[in-house]
Amino acid sequence: MTELFDSLSEDEIEMIRLRYLKRLTLSEVASRYSITERTVRNHTNPTVKQVKEIIARATETMNG
């Protein structure tokens, strides 16, 4: 997972932090960066999906 986060820009990490840790809406994050909600989704969703997949695999291994 470290490699995944190392591959992200600082802006992408911050968008994820704002969206999922600070619980800002897509609109709020988009406003901060002067970009569209779609652009926020494009920068955050693939990473979040990969993190969920990593967690699911780890959980299967632990329960397996």
Side-chain angles (χ1 to χ4, degrees):
M1 195 165 342
T2 302
E3 292 173 10
L4 174 61
F5 286 103
D6 286 346
S7 71
L8 300 174
S9 72
E10 288 187 28
D11 283 342
E12 289 169 324
I13 291 170
E14 182 65 6
M15 283 185 222
I16 291 168
R17 188 183 74 76
L18 292 171
R19 181 81 174 101
Y20 295 97
L21 298 178
K22 296 290 185 179
R23 304 224 185 259
L24 270 60
T25 65
L26 282 170
S27 179
E28 291 169 326
V29 176
S31 282
R32 287 187 181 209
Y33 283 89
S34 299
I35 58 178
T36 66
E37 292 179 26
R38 182 179 184 94
T39 301
V40 173
R41 274 195 303 272
N42 289 343
H43 283 281
T44 59
N45 285 1
T47 302
V48 172
K49 181 180 176 187
Q50 285 182 292
V51 168
K52 287 179 181 179
E53 289 170 358
I54 291 168
I55 292 170
R57 283 195 303 267
T59 302
E60 288 174 9
T61 300
M62 289 173 33
N63 293 330

